[in-house]
Amino acid sequence: MSSALTRDALEAFWMPFTANRQFKDQPRLLARAEGMHYWTPDGRKVLDGCAGLWCVNAGHGRKEITAAVAEQMATLDYAPTFQMGHPAGFELANRLIKLTPGDLNHVFFTNSGSESVDTALKIAIAYHRVKGDASRQRLIGREKGYHGVGFGGISVGGLSNNRKYFGAMLPGVDHLRHTLDIEHNAFTRGLPEWGVHLADDLERLVALHDASTIAAVIVEPMAGSAGVILPPKGYLQKLRAICDKHGILLIFDEVITGFGRLGTAFGAQYFDVMPDIITTAKGLTNGAIPMGAVFVRKQIYDAFMKGPDGIELFHGYTYSAHPAACAAGLATQEIYEREGLLTRGAELAKAWEDAVHSLRSSPNVIDIRNLGLVAGIELQSRPSAIGARGYEALVKCFEKGILIRTTGDTIALSPPLIISTAQIDELITRIGAVLKTIA
């Protein structure tokens, strides 16, 4: 790949979620990757502090995945999954349900987290309909929630910048209060003690709309894209109890927390809360090939299977369970099992926590949040320039040879699960040095 890109070439690529004007003035390009690092076209080495985009959990350039995909493509490049299938799809499904909690033992394959969310929402509404509760069509999301960029996901999502450009969204959607409260919980290590009562906001929405109209509640067990927002202790358990009380399905969006990010296979196991549906993507294939999956409990699957003969669910994608993606998924799961990566986040959690909280006294740091192998470092916003300090931190970190993710003025960190303690120290030391320069 040429390292000399013209301005016309940069103009041609309309990049998502980036400050395009700044990008064109100072392009941040990644040319190759291996292990814990990227390299730029001019040969600079960059330590990956966010697993690409929360997805490269086993580290970059895994030759096992490349070989599996190449072999699959040479054997079967594509197979439709409408009224037929192929062996790798069934093999991957059976492999994955060994990781899921309880009776979440049926899988619907998608191609991204956004598709997983829209699929889960459709399944939830259709489930109530096939049970004879067609009035249950309302969906409840949460403020500051992120559920991808499909119309369903941004409708139940609660990030204003993701919503404001696209009109009224889906009808019949409401939102719970978010759980971020720096006043009560600043610099908490792990789950905050304050805020379990925020789950009671669901009772308010039930009283407003009536339970008979509500199909599902969707939340991230840990909100990642909004800046690592953690649930207070007992919050998710209480949310589960309220859903049970009113016959509402509970959906966990585990696109980020799935596949080892918190030190367990899924966040549901970390929090010991059983959702009715789990959405995943990202770490499913280690980011090598786009793929997502939706897991549903047996009772949901059975409700569709007990209906009249014909098509059980009028939903699907051309590339669901794509053979190459399945091969990548199988090879990824083999790596996770062989190297113990799904639990490594728990082993590194204390060292990670101590390292990120060492930045507490750095200039403009107003909160630090951590869980498993995730952290959010919230910076004081500049007057009339929200996000400017965070963006400057991103640019200067890249110049210092580390890749971070920023959401507004919050630095979000989620390194590959193969990170060493020495690399944790390197990452945090460099971030600390950068924070001193943007005071």
Side-chain angles (χ1 to χ4, degrees), residues 407-424:
T407 300
D409 287 304
T410 300
I411 296 171
L413 301 174
S414 61
L417 303 175
I418 64 169
I419 194 170
S420 67
T421 54
Q423 288 166 334
I424 290 174

Side-chain angles (χ1 to χ4, degrees), residues 9 29 72 107 111-112 118 121 125 142 146-147 154 158 192 203-204 223-224 255 257 266 285 306 379 407 417 439:
L29 302 180
Q72 180 61 63
V107 188
N111 307 289
S112 68
D118 278 17
L121 298 178
I125 291 172
R142 187 169 58 185
Y146 177 73
H147 301 292
I154 54 179
E203 292 283 17
R204 176 183 65 84
V255 171
T257 53
F266 295 97
T285 63
K306 292 176 180 176
L379 309 178
T407 300
L417 303 175

Side-chain angles (χ1 to χ4, degrees), residues 41-100:
D42 59 358
R44 286 198 311 112
K45 193 175 182 180
V46 180
L47 180 63
D48 185 359
C50 44
L53 201 60
W54 310 87
C55 54
V56 189
N57 292 351
H60 296 277
R62 299 303 300 243
K63 293 180 173 56
E64 307 97 310
I65 301 175
T66 303
V69 170
E71 181 180 357
Q72 180 61 63
M73 289 294 288
T75 305
L76 178 67
D77 58 343
Y78 175 80
T81 50
F82 287 67
Q83 291 86 41
M84 57 191 67
H86 61 89
F90 291 93
E91 185 180 354
L92 180 58
N94 284 309
R95 180 84 182 240
L96 292 174
I97 63 171
K98 294 178 181 178
L99 301 176
T100 52

